[in-house]
Amino acid sequence: MNFWFSENHTPNVKISIRVDRQLYSGKSEFQRIDVFDSPEFGRFLTLDGYMMLTEKDEFIYHEMITHVPMAVHPLVKKVLVIGAGDGGVIRELTRYPEIEHIDMVEIDPLVVEVCRKYLPKTACRLDDPRLSIHYEDGLKYVRFKENEYDLIIVDSTDPFGPGEGLFTREFYGNCYKALKEDGIMVNQHESPFYAEDAEACKRAHKRIVESFPISRVYQAHIPTYPSGHWLFGFASKKYHPLKNLDETRWNLRGLDCRYYTTTLHKGAFYLPAYVEEMLEDVEGKY
Amino acid sequence: MNFWFSENHTPNVKISIRVDRQLYSGKSEFQRIDVFDSPEFGRFLTLDGYMMLTEKDEFIYHEMITHVPMAVHPLVKKVLVIGAGDGGVIRELTRYPEIEHIDMVEIDPLVVEVCRKYLPKTACRLDDPRLSIHYEDGLKYVRFKENEYDLIIVDSTDPFGPGEGLFTREFYGNCYKALKEDGIMVNQHESPFYAEDAEACKRAHKRIVESFPISRVYQAHIPTYPSGHWLFGFASKKYHPLKNLDETRWNLRGLDCRYYTTTLHKGAFYLPAYVEEMLEDVEGKY
């Protein structure tokens, strides 16, 4: 059957994925939620028609947003995760025995329910006893937190729709406050390639640079995201993502990853010239 | 107008690019050649319906296939370029004054003619006096060369159709012979992500490992190629791509690049775990 899901990456370029079956379609208070099964990518989740994750390449995103800060911070005990209803970040975090507590703040309970049912490969650790799930707006949740977390992971959707508030100066400022004195915040940072994504990326970077003393950007190859070239933000009060990377300590853990290695960690911060320029441009402006 | 070019990256995933106009369509003895104008990517060239380059992202491919070996080899005087009818590799090579002679071996004169006319941004240095263009089969041309080149760049199409012979053991062996005792060969190496491309990639790597004492693979983000995650092979008789990288020397040249930097050079060799495994698997097999 000729049955395709398409997503416009810009008005002038789109990706299309052949679908076997639509497994779920529903609408929450916040967004439309769909799950499809596909021959190339296995199951995949879309929110308001935008690709969130596929079973085939989600490991790249989830490993890179989690293990990069975990290989830098010497002792993470308490983590705040914003968004992440699919459970992928939680799956990676729960591999670390020293983590004592994780607060996950997801605005949409239906996302979690749907992922538990249809995406067990990512949602498999949502019953970990160290995890508390809060169905709230992350922007509001973090306002009342102070000096509490070692690590905040912002696994947001794009900077429009329900995820919009998670790209504001107020939000980053509150994350700073919610972190302990040596805390790290990591966020998904859009793509540098297409003009509109690059603008979102610059805007986010500017606001993070204004909020944190250390703010660096790193990259990964994520084939199902626009352009395949995706960025993450590493914002920190004390630790530098390369100078404080402890390769030996992380490698002694023996965690088996499919994308992340401590060598790749370093390379992920070595950005193309045009991306460096884009970021420096923003850094110089404030 | 709703006018789109689509390319299947696998039978189950495709990219579509909105087209303004088709500027050229023709058929040579070897392949079908088309040039389109598009709002997102500017002009782009396809051969037999496969994307070869777009004006928007060709800088990534051409900088990465050229400057990586040029920043490692201490003195490149004579270069052999196989394929490269669009002129992008020649444009980058002619920025180096120490290069005395370039032999470019392109099987299809019509590709060069069409690129000169419709893609002046890449074909702009095809009249450089140091360049000799040979309209021949690269596989045959290199058979009769011995101890002649400092650098060979294999800018081939995919490992089927006219480019097929450029992925054979015989070809790599002849390249080895054609190189001087400290020569380097760089080739486009397909993508590690989709199964069929990954197989091509492993096959090529195996054959190069068998032919050269040093064989490493590096990566770049090329949005219009399948998965956006593209690999290059660095095969060498003497120089190691990282240990012999001379950052200071290259940076003193003051060449202005949009993707390549000597820092990114290092990161490009730090591959994801699954790609490392795929390559090691092949290396162990012979």
Side-chain angles (χ1 to χ4, degrees), chain B residues 60-74 76 92-93 96 151 153 184-187 216-220 232-235 239-242 244-246 249-250 257 259-269:
Chain B
I60 303 172
Y61 179 91
H62 291 126
E63 288 183 10
M64 289 301 281
I65 205 168
T66 307
H67 302 306
V68 168
M70 289 302 296
V72 171
H73 195 294
V76 175
E92 296 304 314
L93 281 173
Y96 292 88
L151 171 63
I153 294 181
I184 298 172
M185 177 188 83
V186 169
N187 70 316
R216 297 293 300 271
V217 168
Y218 62 101
Q219 63 194 350
F232 299 89
F234 181 105
Y239 303 118
H240 187 278
L242 297 177
N244 296 106
L245 165 65
D246 191 335
R249 190 188 63 221
W250 196 86
C257 284
Y259 193 87
Y260 181 82
T261 72
T262 52
T263 305
L264 177 119
H265 177 125
K266 293 179 278 183
F269 286 88

Side-chain angles (χ1 to χ4, degrees), chain A residues 8-46:
Chain A
N8 272 77
H9 286 170
T10 81
N12 303 313
V13 57
K14 65 183 170 192
I15 189 173
S16 302
I17 295 174
R18 189 188 295 275
V19 166
D20 269 341
R21 284 179 311 149
Q22 185 177 32
L23 300 175
Y24 175 83
S25 184
K27 207 171 166 354
S28 72
E29 183 187 344
F30 304 100
Q31 55 208 336
R32 178 174 168 165
I33 304 168
D34 293 89
V35 180
F36 303 89
D37 207 350
S38 74
E40 189 65 51
F41 295 100
R43 293 186 178 186
F44 65 91
L45 169 74
T46 66

Side-chain angles (χ1 to χ4, degrees), chain A residues 10-16 18 39-41 56 193-194 220-221 229 257-259 263-264 267 270-274, chain B residues 10-16 18 40-41 56 193-194 220-221 229 257-259 263-264 267 270-274:
Chain A
T10 81
N12 303 313
V13 57
K14 65 183 170 192
I15 189 173
S16 302
R18 189 188 295 275
E40 189 65 51
F41 295 100
K56 185 179 170 119
F193 188 71
Y194 294 119
H221 291 88
H229 189 178
C257 284
R258 290 164 63 206
Y259 194 86
T263 305
L264 177 120
Y270 300 162
L271 304 172
Y274 83 98
Chain B
T10 81
N12 303 313
V13 57
K14 66 182 168 192
I15 190 174
S16 303
R18 189 188 294 276
E40 189 66 50
F41 295 100
K56 185 178 169 122
F193 189 71
Y194 294 118
H221 291 89
H229 189 177
C257 284
R258 288 164 64 204
Y259 193 87
T263 305
L264 177 119
Y270 300 162
L271 303 172
Y274 83 98

